[in-house]
Amino acid sequence: MTGGGAIRVERVSFGYPGRARVLDEVTVDVAPGTILALVGPSGAGKSTILKLINRMLVPTAGRVLVEGRDTRDWPELRLRRQIGYVIQDVGLFPHLSVAANVGLVPTLEGWPRERTGTRVRELMALVGLPFDEFAERAPDELSGGQRQRVGVARALAADPPFLLMDEPFGALDPATRADLRREFAEIQATLRKTVVIVTHDMAEAFALGTTVGVLHGGSLIACGPPAAIRASDDPRVRKFL
Ligand code: ADP
């Protein structure tokens, strides 16, 4: 398994043409093997940071470094292959089986069938979906929590050093959400990916984040270990807490 590399967001501003700025001089480092949890109100710019890291977007000013290299200097496909992406509604292919969904990226990358098969079994076990029971099911034959587990397994399939997660557990009921969060923390303790997770749930940010970053109107108004954020006396942070 490949552990993570470093991400540096350096004085990054971003705006869509003809609109107000979405991000304003944001600087944040994510050390290898750690989790940065981004929190803040809707529209604060959290998802935009994820899109800048995997180069769906490029900064208007400043730069984003992945393993020390500007995202603009990475061959686009190679950068994407370094980065697993998990989103709220998963985006599983409904006509593909669970196993085919999990094995999608290795298959696209031309892995031999046997290696993909071994990897799919390994990942399904990792996320608590026994292969013999779940491999041939369609996504709509799963619960929301099980679908989200498939999403995590799929993102990890090609063993990328980086993982970007956008409200990955957001659509789930509180109990399932807590289960998945705990399971993810266990997986991360072994895999040590470099992770950026976006959440509007402060408890989730504190539970998972090595570092918690609070975004407000496109500015990073606080960033540090959970205990430091909890103790912040910034009224905007307190309000959010
Ligand atoms: P968050 O993830 O914190 O909810 P986003 O990063 O998704 O916020 O969005 C930040 C801001 O950028 C919001 O004001 C949103 O309306 C705006 N925005 C997002 N996508 C687009 C787009 N494609 N075109 C114009 N504005 C956008």
Side-chain angles (χ1 to χ4, degrees):
M1 296 272 182
T2 314
I7 297 173
R8 177 170 174 77
V9 175
E10 191 177 276
R11 302 193 63 178
V12 165
S13 298
F14 179 79
Y16 290 96
R19 307 239 186 161
R21 268 188 179 183
V22 171
L23 291 175
D24 193 21
E25 297 227 352
V26 170
T27 296
V28 63
D29 280 292
V30 194
T34 69
I35 300 181
L36 168 67
L38 291 174
V39 292
S42 180
K46 304 179 298 294
S47 303
T48 303
I49 292 184
L50 299 189
K51 291 174 187 160
L52 286 159
I53 293 169
N54 83 346
R55 202 179 135 180
M56 284 160 71
L57 300 172
V58 292
T60 312
R63 56 188 194 154
V64 178
L65 303 176
V66 174
E67 282 172 354
R69 189 174 184 183
D70 194 314
T71 51
R72 285 171 286 218
D73 297 334
W74 273 90
E76 210 161 327
L77 200 57
R78 262 186 56 205
L79 178 67
R80 297 273 161 78
R81 284 180 179 170
Q82 300 289 307
I83 301 176
Y85 212 87
V86 187
I87 56 175
Q88 182 170 320
D89 298 320
V90 192
L92 297 179
F93 289 95
H95 57 287
L96 294 182
S97 69
V98 166
N101 268 288
V102 174
L104 191 68
V105 176
T107 302
L108 289 175
E109 290 194 11
W111 289 22
R113 256 170 69 158
E114 209 169 284
R115 182 172 165 218
T116 301
T118 307
R119 182 69 180 149
V120 168
R121 273 182 183 272
E122 190 178 297
L123 280 160
M124 288 184 62
L126 184 75
V127 299
L129 296 173
F131 185 89
D132 292 338
E133 193 180 340
F134 290 99
E136 292 313 319
R137 288 204 202 173
D140 69 2
E141 294 166 331
L142 302 177
S143 71
Q146 289 166 341
R147 275 201 294 276
Q148 212 57 39
R149 290 186 172 89
V150 176
V152 171
R154 187 177 61 177
L156 291 170
D159 201 17
F162 300 97
L163 208 52
L164 304 179
M165 309 177 85
D166 199 340
E167 293 281 5
F169 314 131
L172 306 173
D173 65 83
T176 308
R177 189 181 176 116
D179 283 348
L180 260 80
R181 181 198 301 162
R182 198 182 49 248
E183 288 167 21
F184 179 71
E186 280 167 20
I187 291 172
Q188 168 66 2
T190 318
L191 300 190
R192 300 236 149 253
K193 303 293 178 189
T194 303
V195 181
V196 183
I197 179 169
V198 164
T199 173
H200 62 265
D201 179 343
M202 210 64 183
E204 188 158 288
F206 285 144
L208 290 178
T210 319
T211 305
V212 175
V214 185
L215 273 165
H216 192 277
S219 296
L220 192 65
I221 58 169
C223 191
I229 301 300
R230 263 201 204 93
S232 167
D233 52 14
D234 184 319
R236 295 166 304 178
V237 177
R238 300 248 42 108
K239 189 170 161 215
F240 204 69
L241 291 173

